[in-house]
Structures are given as structure tokens and as C-alpha cells.
Amino acid sequence: MRYLNKLASVFCAMALGTLAMTSCEGGDLYSIGSPDWISEKVDSIANSKQDEPTELEGMEEDVYTVGATDFSSGWWAVFSKYYQIPDGQVWNAVFNLNINPSAPNTYKNFALVICNDEDRGAANYKEYGVIRYDNQPSGNSEWGEYIDRSLIESTLTFGTDTDAGIEKLGGRVTLTIDRTDPSAFLVKITNGTVTKTYTQKTALVNLNADASNTTIRAFLCPEGSYINFLQSNIEPIGGFTSAEDKLPVTLTLKGAPKKVLLGATLEEAFANVTATVEFEQGVTKDVTAADLTFQAIPDMTSLGTKTLVAVYNKTYKGENSPTPAIGYAQFTVVDKMFTSVGATDNSSGWWSEHSENIKVAPGETFVSTFTNYTTGANNWNNFVICLTSGDRATEYAILRADNWGWGTGWDGAELASKCTPSGGQADWGAWLAAMDGAKVTVYITNNGDGTADVKCTMIGTDGNTYTQNYIGLNTITNPDDFYFHYTVDNCHLEFDDLLGAEDNSQEWWTAHSPYIKVPAGQTYTRRFRNYGGASNWNNFVVVLTNSDGTTEYGVLRADNWGWGTGWDGAELANKCTPSGGQADWGAWLAAMDEAIVTVSVSNNGNGTCDVKCVMVGSDGNTYIQNYMGLNTVTNPDDFYFHFTVDHSHLVFE
């Protein structure tokens, strides 16, 4: 009725305006032969009302927040409650979608996930598909085996991820899933400005293990946005959440550093910590360090393991709470942040400090990086590489940074003569000065035939690059028992090659390690400590490319997933038979935080490559993740790999 009244007012105004026209000179009321403009005006008014919010019946308060309010939630990191929709019923939900005003990507809104009547991660969990609010026909704005993209319609279409207009998706959104027609299925998402629909003229297949159970579930997953849920006509699993103020119950810390440097204050050390506070009735809110009060037990002034206590004393609406929520985390106060060999004042004498032994298999090249610090007194006061058997009883060679060394039956001059090391140092005095703080990369190759190659690249503090190569060392009596380690002589080494922010805040694809070339027929290996995040994909990622990164041969995650040229994750798993061996992915995820990871990349020289990952978890268990026979290497002579992270960080050895 309110629309009729408004239209009647419009008609009266138009009639009065027409009568007024007759008073003008030459005016003639009856000269208006065909009032098309009136029809168009009426139609435009009527059409403008079609997307106005309508009052939905049976709605209940369901007030809670999904996603970090600083827009930091990544994909598949946070979820709404589950809403079960029986056959023959309609689910209506109303919520406010908050779009990051500075987000450059159209996919940073939310996705509706439609699944069978199972929890995520359950053995029988199956998805019908996912429908995101944005519409990008050439992108992945909806996907799933049971979603037909040709049935999608939207009043706003994007051509690329960076199109303008993302802000139009924000505001008060009404979501409808309609199952009342037994031979159809309807999804509608609208905020009055943008409407997206999925209209399927066939019934849903029943994906439940129990054929008599025809109920489906739906839940929401924001990415780079957050949702303030408001109403639902179907009670979710766990019940409705009222809008009344609520007391805090639990506090879960996120991003607390594992190590804190001695001398740092509480404010400095934990400035990037966030927390999820759960209130009464299951409502959650993400808060920052500024909202928390910290205390270190017993103190921050001495080395050792400490307990961080964090307190949040506000209600859901921000009032002072009589009962605060308290969270805990363990951290260690250290005097150096990363693994090192030798005293940091360079006082460690010759052969007094050694790193651990690392095996290099036949046909393999191990790559390690570190910073070299020296007293600068003598050329030999720098890193030393020891090639030995596993028990160190047999020394194959001892190689210094300064073009000298010895091995079985060899003195330094003989080593220089037989193995043709190439230092390239025209001025040894300048070289020695540049080695205090030099960034060093060492490549150790076990050729498998009783010989070994050692190549050292030293980027000095003077900006110059120095090399030290020992090629064709022929003293390896047992190639299957070939190891190396480092020692020092009035110097020390810091293995401080860090990738990603230490608080795991590094966004996907925003940090990359240097590229490493793998020649045809060779295997190159790197080892690092992995600091994992909240989800399976928040761990190390191996990227296979050409030299300039314009061709991706494959992107391989730690968790049995990846993609390559023309492949999605499922196809990669099917074609390349990765072997995770993880019986319990939850246990694996927990163990990946501080896991020691060894990644070996083989260029088979025939257009295929192998990637083998050995992960020694923080639980002491060894996990394997192999991607064998990847056949996307279009140019074996231009094959490189590097690492990236996604809300995780790596410390290389």
C-alpha cells in the first residue's frame, strides 16, 4: 500500500504540472498525444522499489561478528555458524558486510559455502559448491562440482580482480536459500544495490551418507572483510546470539612471538599480538594488543622460558567487565634470535664450536645461507666447512673461506693444486674487511662418484661479491655416508635468513626467497625451520618457475595441495600422487609450528621434476610430502625454485 500512495502522489503532481502548462501562451492540454514519458517515469519508480529491503517473516536476532575487524582474515580462516536447511524450507539471513576501503581485490568480500549435513573436516564432509558475492565470469567467483556457473546472474560484473566497484558490495545484505520447490534450488544475495542469483531448475543431489537425511548446511566465509551477523529465520547449530551485552569468557592469543630478544619491553615485544575473545552465548570479537594488558611471568629481564599473561576486561559492548578473560602463551627470552655457531664476541677458538651434521645424498646439492662475523685479525678467522662421514670419524676435507684447506693426505697447497678453488679475491685485505657481516651462500654437491663440489658466494659489506669454489674433491670414500658441518676460528656464524614477518602477519605472496637454479639432472636441497599459522596452508610454499618468474611450473603447498599450468589442486593430487602420510591433519598442523623442514627439488631433465619434503615436527614425528613427476617444465634449462609464505615465516639454515 505504501507504494500505491507514493505513486498516487506522483500522479497528482504530474497532473497539476500539466494543468499549469495550459496557462502558458500556446499551451494546449490536449496536445499531449502519447504520454510515453509518464509511463517511463512510473516504470522507473516501480523498478526502483524492487531491491528495497523487505520485511522478512520469522526472523530472530543472531548477533555476532565473523572475521577480524582490521580486515586481516585470510581465505578459509574464519567461518559463521552452521545453518541447517531442511528440504522444503527457506533460509533467510541478514548481516552487514564490511568491505575494506583500501582493498584492491574484488574477491575480498564473502563466500557462501553449501555442503552436506556434516562438519568441515569430517570424513563424510562434501561440498555442493561455493558462491562468492562478487561476479567475475572469467575468474573464480563460484566453484564446485554441483554449481553450474551458467546459472549465475548479477547486476554487477567484474572483469578482473582489480576492477573498481568493490565498495558496492558492502552494507546490509540479505541472503536467501530457497528449497521450497522440490525440482529447483535458488540462492539470492542482495544489498539493494547489487543482486546476485543462482537459479537451478533441478533438485539438489543428496550428498549425505544417510539417504534419508535430505538436510543441507550453509555457512559464510569472509576474506579480507568481516561480517556483522544480525538475523536468521533458522536457528543455527549452537543457537541464536542475542544483542544483549555479554561478559568475556575466554581469550585466545594470536601472533605471540616464540622468541623475545633480551632487553625488549612488553610493549615492544608484543605490539603485534592480537586475540580472539569469546563472550557469553558464543559471540567472538578480534582485539588488538592495545585492548589487552600484558604481564610476563616471572620477568623479562633474564634469559629463559617465560609465560605471557594477557587480560581483556571489557564486555562485548566495551563496558568494564567484572570478570575479565585471560589468555596465556609461552615464549623464550634469548640473547640472539637465530641459530648461531660460535660466541657472538668472536672469542670461540679453533675447532671449539661446531654446527650439526647435515647429510648430502648422492646426486644432491645442499644450499645453506648465513652471515659471517669475524675479528678481522687474519684471513682464516672466518667460516670453515667440514666434509665428513656421519660420525665425523672420517674427514673428507676441511675447507676455509680464504682459498685454503686440507683433506685425506692433502695439505693446503695440494688442495689448491688438485681442486682448483677459485677465490677471485684481487685484494685479500679488502676481502677480509668485507667478511665481517658478509652474507654467505654455500652449495655442497655430492656427485655420487666419490667426488664433491663446494661453491661459496660471499656478498661482502663493501657490496662486492666474492666466490670460493672447491671443485672435484676426490676424497669421498663412501658417497652414501657424506655429511657436512661448519666450525669457526675467532669468528661466528648467524643463520638468520628470515622469510616472512616473525609474527606470521605476512600476507600471501608478499615475501619470496631468492631463486635457486636447478640444472638438468640435478637435485638441490634447502633446510629451514617452519613457523606455521592457523590453517593448513599457513606454512611453507614451494614455487617452481623460470629465471624471471614469468612462467610458473608449479606452486606446491606443505599440505597436499598445489597447482600448476592448467592444473587445480585436485588434479595435482591425482596426477602427481603426492604422499602426505598425515593420518591426523590437526596434529600435523600443530607440529608444523617450529618444524625442521628439508625440501629437495629435482630437475629430471626431461620436462618433469620431483619435489620431496621431509618435515620433522615439533612433536618429534616425521611427516613426508612428495610431489613426484610434475610434467609442466617446458624448459629444463631454465628451471628455478624459491619459497613464499602465507601468514607463516621461515628461518633458513
Side-chain angles (χ1 to χ4, degrees), residues 590-605:
M592 284 300 291
D593 192 27
E594 298 194 64
I596 297 292
V597 181
T598 302
V599 174
S600 298
V601 179
S602 300
N603 179 355
N604 298 323

Side-chain angles (χ1 to χ4, degrees), residues 509-533:
W509 211 256
T510 57
H512 298 265
S513 68
Y515 285 28
I516 297 174
K517 182 174 183 178
V518 185
Q522 299 286 316
T523 298
Y524 275 54
T525 299
R526 290 224 66 180
R527 195 167 85 159
F528 51 87
R529 190 177 292 273
N530 179 90
Y531 292 86

Side-chain angles (χ1 to χ4, degrees), residues 250-439:
T250 63
L251 185 148
T252 303
L253 289 170
K254 299 178 181 178
K258 298 291 192 302
K259 295 180 181 180
V260 172
L261 199 60
L262 184 66
T265 66
L266 276 169
E267 292 75 15
E268 293 168 340
F270 303 106
N272 295 321
V273 170
T274 61
T276 298
V277 181
E278 181 176 352
F279 298 84
E280 295 172 313
Q281 301 180 30
V283 179
T284 61
K285 179 187 293 185
D286 290 326
V287 300
T288 66
D291 303 309
L292 303 171
T293 301
F294 294 113
Q295 183 177 359
I297 298 176
D299 55 54
M300 289 276 288
T301 59
S302 61
L303 301 175
T305 302
K306 315 290 182 178
T307 299
L308 175 67
V309 181
V311 179
Y312 183 81
N313 64 349
K314 298 290 185 180
T315 66
Y316 184 71
K317 293 187 176 181
E319 303 295 332
N320 289 328
S321 173
T323 56
I326 302 175
Y328 304 91
Q330 296 290 318
F331 69 97
T332 304
V333 176
V334 298
D335 58 357
K336 53 189 177 184
M337 291 301 292
F338 303 107
T339 304
S340 66
V341 181
T344 55
D345 62 357
N346 295 327
S347 62
S348 295
W350 167 250
W351 212 254
S352 60
E353 297 282 350
H354 297 264
S355 67
E356 62 179 296
N357 256 11
I358 296 177
K359 182 174 183 176
V360 185
E364 180 180 351
T365 298
F366 194 96
V367 184
S368 62
T369 55
F370 55 87
T371 302
N372 180 91
Y373 296 95
T374 175
T375 59
N378 303 285
N379 282 5
W380 54 85
N381 297 139
N382 289 288
F383 69 89
V384 179
I385 304 165
C386 306
L387 308 181
T388 71
S389 58
D391 59 7
R392 303 191 184 186
T394 301
E395 286 182 2
Y396 301 127
I398 307 298
L399 311 173
R400 292 193 332 211
D402 65 335
N403 212 22
W404 196 260
W406 56 91
T408 306
W410 292 0
D411 63 19
E414 290 176 314
L415 185 67
S417 173
K418 291 183 179 181
C419 300
T420 59
S422 173
Q425 282 59 278
D427 183 340
W428 281 101
W431 172 86
L432 178 59
M435 285 301 290
D436 188 29
K439 299 295 183 181

